[in-house]
Amino acid sequence: MGPPPSRLLIEQARAVVELFRDVERHFQDPRGPSTGDAKVHAESAAAAATTLEAALEDAGAPPGFRKRVFLISRALGRFAASGRSLALEAERYGVSDDPRLEELAHEIRRSAEELAESVERLAAPHAFAALRAAGRAEHLRRGATRELGEEPRVVVAIKLRGLHRRFADAAIHAAEAADLLSEALS
């Protein structure tokens, strides 16, 4: 028998944190190797989720517990997938340094860290902090998107709008995972 589902969920959450740390590093230093690292951590999170789903089938836990863990894992998986897409598009677009993107990456990373803390400590306050960080990221994203109307370079504006959509996806999935965690821990 393998590791317990709670251990696998922690591994998945930690991989998601590392993924979003790599995303943040990419926006701090676009020429660094962080995008490749982000892909590795996204694959690690997906592998942990797959192992977790198999372990849940064999777990002797009550069905309600298995369902909650499964839903949280799926939400973390969508969060990780949005981070992977964000890293790939950021690399593909090659958008120059933009402090707004760094701020967005920072808030999304904070949300991932709070989610991981919530999973590890089974503490609802961390889930609420993750939800607040995702909300701040979405608030920043909306402000940055509004300012794109003033961008004189149309191609840059289009690329930035695409990255903003990816940040919005990440914020939505972070908030979804935080909601599920806070509900499970309340």
Side-chain angles (χ1 to χ4, degrees), residues 112-123:
E113 287 176 346
E114 293 293 344
L115 283 169
E117 284 291 317
S118 182
V119 168
E120 286 186 48
R121 298 174 190 256
L122 297 176

Side-chain angles (χ1 to χ4, degrees), residues 4-167:
S6 58
R7 183 91 221 125
L8 293 167
L9 190 63
I10 290 170
E11 285 178 27
Q12 183 184 11
R14 286 179 181 165
V16 170
V17 169
E18 292 305 317
L19 164 65
F20 281 99
R21 284 180 181 159
D22 292 332
V23 167
E24 183 178 27
R25 275 193 289 273
H26 174 78
F27 287 107
Q28 292 168 344
D29 178 21
R31 290 168 273 302
S34 55
T35 302
D37 296 341
K39 292 177 198 174
V40 169
H41 289 112
E43 291 167 5
S44 176
T50 302
T51 306
L52 172 64
E53 286 182 25
L56 283 173
E57 301 238 346
D58 299 334
F65 169 80
R66 291 192 312 228
K67 181 178 179 182
R68 279 193 302 272
V69 171
F70 174 79
L71 291 174
I72 292 166
S73 175
R74 282 290 171 105
L76 286 173
R78 286 188 291 276
F79 186 35
S82 67
R84 184 178 191 281
S85 296
L86 175 60
L88 293 175
E89 278 196 23
E91 181 182 53
R92 185 176 335 128
Y93 289 166
V95 177
S96 61
D97 299 337
D98 183 345
R100 292 288 209 162
L101 294 176
E102 283 184 47
E103 287 179 76
L104 287 166
H106 175 75
E107 289 301 328
I108 292 294
R109 186 223 3 114
R110 285 191 61 222
S111 188
E113 287 176 346
E114 293 293 344
L115 283 169
E117 284 291 317
S118 182
V119 168
E120 286 186 48
R121 298 174 190 256
L122 297 176
H126 290 288
F128 297 134
L131 189 58
R132 283 192 303 276
R136 280 192 302 277
E138 181 59 15
H139 178 74
L140 288 170
R141 190 219 34 103
R142 287 180 183 175
T145 301
R146 275 193 299 276
E147 291 176 6
L148 286 178
E150 300 169 12
E151 173 62 50
R153 300 165 295 174
V154 175
V155 172
V156 170
I158 291 169
K159 289 178 179 182
L160 287 172
R161 193 174 307 273
L163 289 175
H164 290 180
R165 274 194 295 274
R166 292 295 180 191
F167 274 113

